[in-house]
């Protein structure tokens, strides 16, 4: 699960893990967005993310936040 806070409502976000896009999310009216992957719903969930970088950008490519697991 990846959560982003304090972005403008309606902002379309792209979430990447280890350089590969793993999903998208849109900020709600409170400026929060979440990507929750679940293999029981058929989502592809990485086996291990230790040491991998996560990057969240706007749909236009502007960096919002980044970090690593």
């Amino acid at each position: 699960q990846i959560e982003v806070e304090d972005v403008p409502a309606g902002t379309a976000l792209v979430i990447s893990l280890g350089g590969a896009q793993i999903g998208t999310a849109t900020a709600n009216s409170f400026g929060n967005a979440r990507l929750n992957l679940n293999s029981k719903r058929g989502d592809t969930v990485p086996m291990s993310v230790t040491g991998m970088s996560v990057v969240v950008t706007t749909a236009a490519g502007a960096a919002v936040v980044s970090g690593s697991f």
Side-chain angles (χ1 to χ4, degrees), residues 7-10 26-32:
V7 295
T26 301
N28 64 20
S29 61
F30 299 105
N32 302 323

Side-chain angles (χ1 to χ4, degrees), residues 25-45:
T26 301
N28 64 20
S29 61
F30 299 105
N32 302 323
R34 179 184 339 175
L35 175 66
N36 187 2
L37 300 177
N38 186 324
S39 60
K40 291 181 181 179
R41 291 192 319 247
D43 298 332
T44 300
V45 179

Side-chain angles (χ1 to χ4, degrees), residues 35-63:
L35 175 66
N36 187 2
L37 300 177
N38 186 324
S39 60
K40 291 181 181 179
R41 291 192 319 247
D43 298 332
T44 300
V45 179
M47 293 297 288
S48 174
V49 297
T50 302
M52 296 180 79
S53 63
V54 61
V55 177
V56 179
T57 62
T58 64

